[in-house]
Short mmCIF file of all heavy atoms in Angstrom, two decimals:
data_model
loop_
_atom_site.label_atom_id
_atom_site.label_comp_id
_atom_site.label_asym_id
_atom_site.label_seq_id
_atom_site.Cartn_x
_atom_site.Cartn_y
_atom_site.Cartn_z
N ARG L 118 96.41 88.02 84.37
CA ARG L 118 97.65 87.22 84.41
C ARG L 118 98.84 88.08 84.08
O ARG L 118 99.90 87.97 84.72
CB ARG L 118 97.52 86.03 83.41
CG ARG L 118 98.69 85.12 83.45
CD ARG L 118 98.76 84.39 84.74
NE ARG L 118 100.09 83.74 84.90
CZ ARG L 118 100.57 83.41 86.08
NH1 ARG L 118 99.95 83.61 87.18
NH2 ARG L 118 101.71 82.81 86.15
N ARG L 119 98.81 88.92 83.01
CA ARG L 119 99.90 89.80 82.69
C ARG L 119 100.18 90.76 83.83
O ARG L 119 101.36 91.01 84.17
CB ARG L 119 99.62 90.57 81.39
CG ARG L 119 100.84 91.51 80.98
CD ARG L 119 100.50 92.37 79.81
NE ARG L 119 99.57 93.42 80.22
CZ ARG L 119 99.88 94.55 80.84
NH1 ARG L 119 101.08 94.81 81.23
NH2 ARG L 119 98.93 95.42 81.09
N LEU L 120 99.16 91.23 84.40
CA LEU L 120 99.28 92.18 85.50
C LEU L 120 100.01 91.53 86.73
O LEU L 120 100.94 92.07 87.26
CB LEU L 120 97.89 92.77 85.93
CG LEU L 120 97.91 93.87 86.94
CD1 LEU L 120 98.54 95.12 86.38
CD2 LEU L 120 96.47 94.16 87.35
N PHE L 121 99.58 90.30 87.00
CA PHE L 121 100.19 89.54 88.11
C PHE L 121 101.71 89.32 87.77
O PHE L 121 102.60 89.46 88.57
CB PHE L 121 99.49 88.19 88.32
CG PHE L 121 100.13 87.40 89.40
CD1 PHE L 121 100.01 87.72 90.73
CD2 PHE L 121 100.86 86.28 89.08
CE1 PHE L 121 100.59 86.96 91.72
CE2 PHE L 121 101.47 85.53 90.06
CZ PHE L 121 101.31 85.81 91.37
N ASP L 122 101.99 88.89 86.51
CA ASP L 122 103.39 88.66 86.11
C ASP L 122 104.22 89.93 86.26
O ASP L 122 105.38 89.88 86.70
CB ASP L 122 103.50 88.16 84.67
CG ASP L 122 102.92 86.73 84.50
OD1 ASP L 122 102.80 86.03 85.50
OD2 ASP L 122 102.64 86.39 83.33
N ASP L 123 103.65 91.05 85.89
CA ASP L 123 104.41 92.31 86.00
C ASP L 123 104.65 92.65 87.43
O ASP L 123 105.75 93.14 87.79
CB ASP L 123 103.62 93.45 85.28
CG ASP L 123 103.63 93.41 83.79
OD1 ASP L 123 104.40 92.58 83.25
OD2 ASP L 123 102.88 94.20 83.16
N ILE L 124 103.68 92.45 88.31
CA ILE L 124 103.88 92.71 89.72
C ILE L 124 104.99 91.79 90.26
O ILE L 124 105.78 92.26 91.06
CB ILE L 124 102.59 92.58 90.46
CG1 ILE L 124 101.64 93.75 90.14
CG2 ILE L 124 102.80 92.51 92.03
CD1 ILE L 124 100.26 93.61 90.68
N CYS L 125 105.05 90.59 89.84
CA CYS L 125 106.11 89.65 90.27
C CYS L 125 107.48 90.16 89.86
O CYS L 125 108.45 90.08 90.62
CB CYS L 125 105.87 88.23 89.71
SG CYS L 125 104.47 87.35 90.48
N VAL L 126 107.58 90.64 88.64
CA VAL L 126 108.86 91.26 88.19
C VAL L 126 109.26 92.44 89.05
O VAL L 126 110.35 92.56 89.49
CB VAL L 126 108.71 91.75 86.63
CG1 VAL L 126 109.90 92.63 86.24
CG2 VAL L 126 108.63 90.48 85.76
N MET L 127 108.28 93.31 89.30
CA MET L 127 108.59 94.49 90.16
C MET L 127 108.92 94.08 91.58
O MET L 127 109.81 94.64 92.20
CB MET L 127 107.37 95.42 90.19
CG MET L 127 107.12 96.02 88.80
SD MET L 127 105.74 97.21 88.75
CE MET L 127 106.50 98.58 89.50
N GLU L 128 108.22 93.11 92.14
CA GLU L 128 108.52 92.59 93.45
C GLU L 128 109.93 92.07 93.56
O GLU L 128 110.69 92.37 94.50
CB GLU L 128 107.58 91.43 93.84
CG GLU L 128 107.87 90.84 95.17
CD GLU L 128 107.12 89.61 95.40
OE1 GLU L 128 106.80 88.86 94.40
OE2 GLU L 128 106.83 89.26 96.58
N HIS L 129 110.39 91.29 92.57
CA HIS L 129 111.76 90.79 92.58
C HIS L 129 112.81 91.94 92.48
O HIS L 129 113.75 91.89 93.29
CB HIS L 129 111.95 89.83 91.39
CG HIS L 129 113.26 89.14 91.38
ND1 HIS L 129 114.33 89.61 90.62
CD2 HIS L 129 113.68 88.07 92.00
CE1 HIS L 129 115.35 88.79 90.87
NE2 HIS L 129 115.00 87.84 91.68
N ALA L 130 112.54 92.91 91.70
CA ALA L 130 113.46 94.11 91.61
C ALA L 130 113.47 94.82 92.96
O ALA L 130 114.57 95.27 93.40
CB ALA L 130 113.03 95.00 90.51
N ALA L 131 112.34 95.03 93.56
CA ALA L 131 112.25 95.71 94.80
C ALA L 131 112.99 94.90 95.95
O ALA L 131 113.71 95.54 96.73
CB ALA L 131 110.80 96.00 95.23
N LEU L 132 112.85 93.59 95.91
CA LEU L 132 113.53 92.77 96.89
C LEU L 132 115.05 92.89 96.76
O LEU L 132 115.80 92.94 97.72
CB LEU L 132 113.06 91.33 96.85
CG LEU L 132 111.72 91.04 97.44
CD1 LEU L 132 111.25 89.62 97.02
CD2 LEU L 132 111.76 91.19 98.92
N GLU L 133 115.52 92.89 95.50
CA GLU L 133 116.96 93.07 95.26
C GLU L 133 117.37 94.43 95.80
O GLU L 133 118.42 94.46 96.43
CB GLU L 133 117.28 92.96 93.69
CG GLU L 133 117.22 91.59 93.17
CD GLU L 133 117.52 91.59 91.72
OE1 GLU L 133 117.73 92.66 91.08
OE2 GLU L 133 117.60 90.45 91.14
N ALA L 134 116.63 95.41 95.53
CA ALA L 134 116.97 96.79 96.03
C ALA L 134 116.98 96.89 97.55
O ALA L 134 117.88 97.43 98.09
CB ALA L 134 116.07 97.85 95.39
N MET L 135 116.00 96.24 98.16
CA MET L 135 115.95 96.20 99.59
C MET L 135 117.13 95.46 100.19
O MET L 135 117.64 95.85 101.26
CB MET L 135 114.64 95.57 100.10
CG MET L 135 113.42 96.39 99.79
SD MET L 135 111.92 95.41 100.16
CE MET L 135 110.66 96.61 99.80
N GLY L 136 117.58 94.42 99.48
CA GLY L 136 118.78 93.75 99.96
C GLY L 136 120.03 94.62 99.87
O GLY L 136 120.88 94.55 100.76
#
Side-chain angles (χ1 to χ4, degrees):
R118 183 68 192 157
R119 182 188 67 82
L120 189 64
F121 178 75
D122 290 344
D123 287 351
I124 289 172
C125 290
V126 167
M127 295 181 75
E128 175 192 30
H129 186 263
L132 283 168
E133 284 180 358
M135 290 172 178

